[in-house]
Amino acid sequence: MSDFNPGEVDRLAELVRLNLSDEEKAEFSEQLPNILNFVERLQSAKVDNHDQPLTISQDSLREDEVSGKRLSSEQLEALAPELRDNQIVVPPVFGESSDL
Amino acid sequence: MSMLETPINKKLNIFLHDLRPLEPLSDGLLRGMNIAVKDNISVEGWPLSAGSRILDGYVAPYDATVIRKLREAGATLIGKVNLDEFAMGSSTENSAFGPTKNPWDIERVPGGSSGGSAAVIAADLAEVSLGSDTGGSVRQPASFCGVTGFKPTYGAVSRYGLVALASSLDVVGPMARTARKVEHVMSIIAGKDPMDQTTFDYSYQSIDKDISKLRVGLPKQLWDIEMDPEIRASTQILVNFFRSKGATVEDVDLPSLPLALSAYYIILPAEVSANLSRYDGIRYRSSEQSSNLVERYYKTRSKFGKEVKRRILLGAYALSVGHYDAYYQLATKVRQQIIREHQEVFRKVDVLISPTTSTPAFKMGERLKDPVAMYQSDLLTVGANLAGLPAISLPTGFTSSNLPIGSQIIANQLQDNVVLSLARQYQEETDWHLRRPNG
């Protein structure tokens, strides 16, 4: 049932922002349908529609308060690729090549 | 002294980064205990790689809750240990820092993804280690390395500071030679954490489970699979141990279990594709020059290894328009069925017993070409993750080629102390867990 055609890997790679080498594209184009075949046996499952909670804890939103813990300037400097005036420098969101 | 440059580490490749031991924050129950930490758990001031190059240069700015608790209880952290990249794998061959070798046979894998955490115990380089278990990643390497590895009930231990893989499945799990030591650690790390919404009020109490009143269930669907006959025989001996002390033993039916691995390999990649979208070249130090934001993403994310890329792509597929119902929704429904079937079975029995793995540790490279073959390593362990149940792997024997065999005990949610009590009692009368590799 899987409609995994050659362009599919390219389309997915664009969705998740991954550059793939030609070798990787070829490998994944072969492997992903195999994995999908393997998981396809789920199609044979008879399922009903009862909901089972996944967590024991059901009511655990805490108060919307600032906890007080923050990153120091030194920590920020160690974490950010580029810092200017204690602000993180990022590339332009809307740039010349903003083909999203 | 750093463990990194020692001869034993050069041979086994267990430790990552050049680190000196971290003294505890105060005195406590775990005074004097040496703990190694899987490198996907945050220790303030230490690098955190998650076995990947995409976190090159990243130093953790905070302690995971489990780390803070251990340090406040008097434990000494001795270093970070190797893992499959982003905890994806069953052999530790997917680490960007090279594979870890199994101390029992250096041509074989230690298992994964917590291969370093298991090997460090087997090689007597740490008393206790922390791993993480999402589909079997504590239990399977424990089995391959002849040590005791425990996966707590989902939500019993905080995930704050654990690099998120699949948030509905991930659990931090302690490993050691003995269930007794594992239990000491569990009593410290368990409990509700305001920083992890999925944790609940849980105060771990050690008990002595009365084996003469124990009801053991053997899941037909797990025992029916093809497996190494020496492993089957070894787990049978564990079952007979309990039977000889008065436990009742019966076959039980979990009809949806054969679908567990398929459901897992849809749910996991789906959650992975979401969780790993945060690695964007902005937040975690490592970055590539780029003229715009999208280019930054592409260039930075090319640092992921193959298995990580594979699962991100698979997850995106399972969640995308036109496939969501057929894959992710369906897998979630099957998961709920698996949960329900376990609940029904636990009305009739107290624990389930099965082997942990269907084969002993395989050779390096043996399963790398075929992802589906590698995924089969999780066959016996994923059910407990999907259903959020406590489960342990303990050493129950050796193959005729001297490779460790591990068996699994699973209980209902919140029955972590039952599992640990049974493992402790077994270890009081056997010595598999005390054996060491030669040379």
Side-chain angles (χ1 to χ4, degrees):
Chain A
M1 183 220 141
S2 83
D3 51 7
F4 215 88
N5 54 56
E8 197 68 20
V9 171
D10 286 318
R11 184 183 78 83
L12 292 172
E14 191 182 325
L15 275 178
V16 294
R17 307 293 188 232
L18 285 177
N19 269 334
L20 300 178
S21 66
D22 287 334
E23 189 227 328
E24 282 170 334
K25 280 188 204 183
E27 204 179 308
F28 293 156
S29 296
E30 199 192 299
Q31 286 169 344
L32 288 178
N34 284 342
I35 299 172
L36 289 169
N37 276 339
F38 165 66
V39 299
E40 224 125 69
R41 62 183 66 172
L42 280 188
Q43 307 296 338
S44 66
K46 289 190 177 52
V47 286
D48 49 34
N49 286 301
H50 299 123
D51 259 330
Q52 293 285 144
L54 288 181
T55 52
I56 291 176
S57 168
Q58 297 285 305
D59 63 344
S60 44
L61 297 180
R62 63 173 189 269
E63 289 305 308
D64 188 13
E65 287 164 352
V66 175
S67 71
K69 180 151 181 152
R70 31 184 357 144
L71 292 176
S72 67
S73 301
E74 291 79 29
Q75 284 174 323
L76 195 60
E77 205 171 322
L79 284 176
E82 199 188 328
L83 215 58
R84 202 179 299 159
D85 297 331
N86 238 34
Q87 293 175 315
I88 301 175
V89 179
V90 298
V93 176
F94 304 106
E96 339 78 5
S97 51
S98 58
D99 300 313
L100 292 178
Chain B
M1 191 201 59
S2 157
M3 295 301 299
L4 195 68
E5 296 297 316
T6 57
I8 181 102
N9 195 55
K10 295 211 176 228
K11 182 177 163 197
L12 298 176
N13 194 36
I14 291 174
F15 286 93
L16 302 174
H17 320 303
D18 192 7
L19 298 169
R20 301 287 176 280
L22 259 186
E23 289 309 307
L25 292 172
S26 52
D27 209 353
L29 185 71
L30 303 184
R31 178 199 316 134
M33 183 180 273
N34 281 352
I35 305 190
V37 179
K38 185 178 183 181
D39 202 18
N40 63 352
I41 296 173
S42 193
V43 176
E44 185 175 344
W46 276 6
L48 188 155
S49 72
S52 181
R53 296 249 77 112
I54 206 171
L55 287 173
D56 277 349
Y58 175 72
V59 173
Y62 68 100
D63 277 337
T65 296
V66 295
I67 294 297
R68 180 182 49 79
K69 286 182 161 186
L70 289 171
R71 296 191 68 207
E72 284 171 357
T76 298
L77 305 184
I78 63 167
K80 291 297 208 62
V81 294
N82 202 12
L83 67 160
D84 279 299
E85 187 178 3
F86 282 100
M88 295 187 225
S90 308
S91 66
T92 312
E93 291 172 293
N94 292 328
S95 170
F97 303 99
T100 293
K101 314 286 174 65
N102 190 322
W104 290 88
D105 178 343
I106 60 172
E107 287 175 21
R108 291 179 187 265
V109 302
S113 60
S114 312
S117 310
V120 81
I121 305 292
D124 281 319
L125 297 175
E127 212 177 320
V128 161
S129 64
L130 291 184
S132 66
D133 192 313
T134 302
S137 288
V138 161
R139 290 162 286 154
Q140 183 254 32
S143 176
F144 280 7
C145 289
V147 301
T148 304
F150 177 61
K151 183 198 90 66
T153 297
Y154 178 84
V157 176
S158 173
R159 286 178 297 113
Y160 178 69
L162 169 70
V163 172
L165 173 64
S167 307
S168 77
L169 296 163
D170 294 342
V171 190
V172 172
M175 303 169 88
R177 247 176 222 294
T178 65
R180 182 171 294 280
K181 287 233 165 85
V182 164
E183 192 169 47
H184 285 155
V185 173
M186 178 62 183
S187 69
I188 296 294
I189 63 176
K192 191 171 174 68
D193 182 13
M195 301 305 283
D196 177 352
Q197 187 196 8
T198 58
T199 57
F200 50 89
D201 258 313
Y202 185 57
S203 171
Y204 181 85
Q205 300 293 339
S206 180
I207 56 163
D208 275 316
K209 182 70 180 172
D210 185 354
I211 297 179
S212 70
K213 302 202 173 74
L214 185 70
R215 301 167 300 164
V216 173
L218 306 181
K220 269 189 265 203
Q221 288 79 10
L222 296 185
W223 286 84
D224 278 349
I225 66 162
E226 206 178 298
M227 67 174 86
D228 186 313
E230 290 184 296
I231 291 182
R232 188 187 297 276
S234 170
T235 307
Q236 266 302 344
I237 296 175
L238 175 70
V239 173
N240 291 338
F241 169 83
F242 293 119
R243 202 197 308 256
S244 72
K245 292 181 181 297
T248 58
V249 179
E250 63 182 276
D251 288 341
V252 294
D253 203 8
L254 289 157
S256 299
L257 260 190
L259 297 173
L261 201 58
S262 301
Y264 176 79
Y265 274 106
I266 291 174
I267 294 170
L268 176 105
E271 295 190 18
V272 160
S273 70
N275 275 330
L276 267 65
S277 62
R278 69 192 66 185
Y279 300 103
D280 57 5
I282 310 284
R283 293 170 236 223
Y284 297 103
R285 184 63 183 187
S286 172
S287 191
E288 296 293 304
Q289 276 310 310
S290 53
S291 58
N292 65 46
L293 192 65
V294 174
E295 200 192 337
R296 172 78 64 98
Y297 293 157
Y298 275 108
K299 278 182 151 179
T300 304
R301 292 163 69 79
S302 63
K303 293 185 186 170
F304 283 135
K306 251 191 216 170
E307 183 62 33
V308 172
K309 286 186 183 175
R310 195 159 28 228
R311 295 199 196 186
I312 290 175
L313 292 169
L314 197 52
Y317 184 85
L319 290 175
S320 58
V321 170
H323 300 123
Y324 179 83
D325 289 333
Y327 288 100
Y328 184 75
Q329 270 289 62
L330 185 54
T332 301
K333 291 201 168 123
V334 169
R335 178 182 187 173
Q336 291 175 342
Q337 211 139 281
I338 289 171
I339 295 173
R340 204 159 41 247
E341 288 171 10
H342 277 90
Q343 293 306 322
E344 273 157 32
V345 156
F346 282 122
R347 277 197 260 274
K348 298 188 290 180
V349 299
D350 300 310
V351 294
L352 305 174
I353 294 183
S354 80
T356 305
T357 56
S358 57
T359 68
F362 45 87
K363 293 217 173 209
M364 300 265 172
E366 195 181 297
R367 296 194 186 182
L368 277 180
K369 288 283 178 255
D370 182 4
V372 176
M374 185 67 87
Y375 298 162
Q376 300 298 326
S377 318
D378 299 336
L379 196 56
L380 294 165
T381 49
V382 290
N385 295 91
L386 291 170
L389 307 173
I392 200 168
S393 178
L394 62 157
T396 54
F398 286 82
T399 67
S400 46
S401 39
N402 204 37
L403 294 173
I405 294 174
S407 300
Q408 184 173 225
I409 304 175
I410 305 169
N412 205 351
Q413 287 176 325
L414 304 178
Q415 308 287 304
D416 303 50
N417 52 7
V418 170
V419 169
L420 286 165
S421 169
L422 295 176
R424 251 181 25 234
Q425 292 181 68
Y426 180 73
Q427 288 180 347
E428 273 158 25
E429 298 189 29
T430 57
D431 69 354
W432 308 115
H433 57 290
L434 297 175
R435 302 232 186 140
R436 265 91 173 157
N438 306 316

Short mmCIF file of all heavy atoms in Angstrom, two decimals, chain B residues 114-142:
data_model
loop_
_atom_site.label_atom_id
_atom_site.label_comp_id
_atom_site.label_asym_id
_atom_site.label_seq_id
_atom_site.Cartn_x
_atom_site.Cartn_y
_atom_site.Cartn_z
N SER B 114 22.07 2.14 25.19
CA SER B 114 22.90 2.43 26.37
C SER B 114 24.06 1.46 26.48
O SER B 114 24.33 0.89 27.54
CB SER B 114 22.07 2.36 27.66
OG SER B 114 20.87 3.08 27.56
N GLY B 115 24.78 1.28 25.35
CA GLY B 115 25.88 0.31 25.33
C GLY B 115 27.00 0.67 26.28
O GLY B 115 27.57 -0.18 26.96
N GLY B 116 27.34 1.96 26.32
CA GLY B 116 28.40 2.41 27.23
C GLY B 116 28.02 2.18 28.68
O GLY B 116 28.84 1.76 29.50
N SER B 117 26.75 2.44 29.00
CA SER B 117 26.27 2.28 30.38
C SER B 117 26.33 0.83 30.83
O SER B 117 26.55 0.55 32.01
CB SER B 117 24.83 2.78 30.50
OG SER B 117 24.70 4.07 29.94
N ALA B 118 26.10 -0.10 29.92
CA ALA B 118 26.16 -1.52 30.28
C ALA B 118 27.61 -1.99 30.34
O ALA B 118 28.02 -2.67 31.29
CB ALA B 118 25.39 -2.36 29.26
N ALA B 119 28.42 -1.60 29.35
CA ALA B 119 29.82 -2.03 29.31
C ALA B 119 30.59 -1.52 30.51
O ALA B 119 31.47 -2.21 31.04
CB ALA B 119 30.46 -1.56 28.01
N VAL B 120 30.28 -0.31 30.95
CA VAL B 120 31.05 0.29 32.05
C VAL B 120 30.87 -0.52 33.35
O VAL B 120 31.80 -0.60 34.17
CB VAL B 120 30.64 1.78 32.25
CG1 VAL B 120 29.34 1.92 33.06
CG2 VAL B 120 31.73 2.59 32.88
N ILE B 121 29.71 -1.14 33.51
CA ILE B 121 29.46 -1.99 34.67
C ILE B 121 30.16 -3.33 34.48
O ILE B 121 30.86 -3.82 35.38
CB ILE B 121 27.95 -2.22 34.89
CG1 ILE B 121 27.19 -0.91 34.99
CG2 ILE B 121 27.71 -3.10 36.11
CD1 ILE B 121 27.47 -0.09 36.22
N ALA B 122 29.99 -3.92 33.31
CA ALA B 122 30.59 -5.23 33.03
C ALA B 122 32.11 -5.18 33.17
O ALA B 122 32.73 -6.15 33.61
CB ALA B 122 30.20 -5.70 31.63
N ALA B 123 32.71 -4.06 32.82
CA ALA B 123 34.16 -3.91 32.90
C ALA B 123 34.61 -3.40 34.26
O ALA B 123 35.79 -3.10 34.45
CB ALA B 123 34.64 -2.94 31.80
N ASP B 124 33.68 -3.30 35.21
CA ASP B 124 34.00 -2.86 36.57
C ASP B 124 34.62 -1.46 36.62
O ASP B 124 35.48 -1.18 37.46
CB ASP B 124 34.95 -3.85 37.27
CG ASP B 124 34.20 -5.07 37.78
OD1 ASP B 124 33.09 -4.90 38.30
OD2 ASP B 124 34.72 -6.19 37.62
N LEU B 125 34.19 -0.58 35.73
CA LEU B 125 34.73 0.78 35.73
C LEU B 125 33.81 1.76 36.45
O LEU B 125 34.17 2.92 36.67
CB LEU B 125 34.95 1.25 34.28
CG LEU B 125 35.98 0.42 33.51
CD1 LEU B 125 36.06 0.87 32.06
CD2 LEU B 125 37.36 0.55 34.16
N ALA B 126 32.63 1.31 36.78
CA ALA B 126 31.70 2.12 37.58
C ALA B 126 30.82 1.16 38.35
O ALA B 126 30.60 0.02 37.93
CB ALA B 126 30.85 3.03 36.70
N GLU B 127 30.31 1.64 39.48
CA GLU B 127 29.48 0.80 40.32
C GLU B 127 28.04 0.79 39.81
O GLU B 127 27.33 -0.20 39.89
CB GLU B 127 29.49 1.44 41.70
CG GLU B 127 29.38 0.52 42.85
CD GLU B 127 29.48 1.31 44.13
OE1 GLU B 127 30.31 2.25 44.19
OE2 GLU B 127 28.72 1.00 45.06
N VAL B 128 27.64 1.96 39.33
CA VAL B 128 26.28 2.15 38.86
C VAL B 128 26.37 3.01 37.60
O VAL B 128 27.30 3.81 37.46
CB VAL B 128 25.44 2.89 39.93
CG1 VAL B 128 24.18 3.52 39.35
CG2 VAL B 128 25.06 1.94 41.06
N SER B 129 25.43 2.85 36.71
CA SER B 129 25.37 3.78 35.58
C SER B 129 23.91 4.16 35.32
O SER B 129 22.99 3.45 35.75
CB SER B 129 25.99 3.18 34.32
OG SER B 129 25.26 2.05 33.88
N LEU B 130 23.73 5.28 34.65
CA LEU B 130 22.40 5.67 34.20
C LEU B 130 22.33 5.46 32.70
O LEU B 130 23.24 5.83 31.96
CB LEU B 130 22.15 7.15 34.50
CG LEU B 130 21.98 7.58 35.94
CD1 LEU B 130 21.64 9.07 36.00
CD2 LEU B 130 20.89 6.77 36.63
N GLY B 131 21.23 4.87 32.26
CA GLY B 131 20.96 4.77 30.84
C GLY B 131 19.58 5.34 30.59
O GLY B 131 18.97 5.91 31.49
N SER B 132 19.10 5.20 29.35
CA SER B 132 17.72 5.56 29.06
C SER B 132 17.12 4.44 28.23
O SER B 132 17.82 3.80 27.44
CB SER B 132 17.64 6.90 28.32
OG SER B 132 18.21 6.80 27.04
N ASP B 133 15.82 4.19 28.45
CA ASP B 133 15.16 3.05 27.82
C ASP B 133 13.88 3.54 27.14
O ASP B 133 12.96 3.98 27.80
CB ASP B 133 14.85 2.01 28.90
CG ASP B 133 14.42 0.67 28.31
OD1 ASP B 133 13.57 0.67 27.41
OD2 ASP B 133 14.91 -0.38 28.77
N THR B 134 13.87 3.47 25.83
CA THR B 134 12.73 3.95 25.03
C THR B 134 12.04 2.78 24.34
O THR B 134 10.83 2.79 24.14
CB THR B 134 13.22 4.99 24.00
OG1 THR B 134 13.84 6.07 24.71
CG2 THR B 134 12.09 5.52 23.15
N GLY B 135 12.85 1.76 23.96
CA GLY B 135 12.31 0.56 23.32
C GLY B 135 13.04 -0.67 23.82
O GLY B 135 12.88 -1.76 23.28
N GLY B 136 13.86 -0.49 24.85
CA GLY B 136 14.66 -1.60 25.36
C GLY B 136 16.11 -1.21 25.58
O GLY B 136 16.94 -2.05 25.92
N SER B 137 16.41 0.08 25.44
CA SER B 137 17.80 0.53 25.43
C SER B 137 18.56 0.44 26.73
O SER B 137 19.75 0.71 26.75
CB SER B 137 17.86 1.99 24.94
OG SER B 137 17.59 2.03 23.57
N VAL B 138 17.92 0.08 27.84
CA VAL B 138 18.64 -0.27 29.06
C VAL B 138 18.67 -1.78 29.18
O VAL B 138 19.71 -2.39 29.47
CB VAL B 138 17.97 0.36 30.31
CG1 VAL B 138 18.39 -0.33 31.60
CG2 VAL B 138 18.32 1.84 30.39
N ARG B 139 17.56 -2.43 28.94
CA ARG B 139 17.46 -3.87 29.18
C ARG B 139 18.26 -4.70 28.18
O ARG B 139 18.92 -5.68 28.55
CB ARG B 139 15.99 -4.29 29.16
CG ARG B 139 15.20 -3.77 30.37
CD ARG B 139 13.71 -3.81 30.10
NE ARG B 139 13.30 -2.78 29.18
CZ ARG B 139 12.23 -2.85 28.39
NH1 ARG B 139 11.46 -3.92 28.42
NH2 ARG B 139 11.93 -1.85 27.60
N GLN B 140 18.21 -4.32 26.91
CA GLN B 140 18.92 -5.14 25.91
C GLN B 140 20.43 -5.10 26.13
O GLN B 140 21.09 -6.15 26.16
CB GLN B 140 18.48 -4.69 24.50
CG GLN B 140 19.07 -5.47 23.36
CD GLN B 140 20.13 -4.68 22.63
OE1 GLN B 140 20.83 -3.86 23.24
NE2 GLN B 140 20.29 -4.93 21.36
N PRO B 141 21.06 -3.91 26.29
CA PRO B 141 22.50 -3.93 26.58
C PRO B 141 22.84 -4.60 27.91
O PRO B 141 23.88 -5.25 28.03
CB PRO B 141 22.91 -2.46 26.58
CG PRO B 141 21.67 -1.66 26.51
CD PRO B 141 20.57 -2.54 26.07
N ALA B 142 21.95 -4.46 28.91
CA ALA B 142 22.19 -5.16 30.18
C ALA B 142 22.27 -6.66 29.92
O ALA B 142 23.15 -7.36 30.44
CB ALA B 142 21.08 -4.86 31.18
#
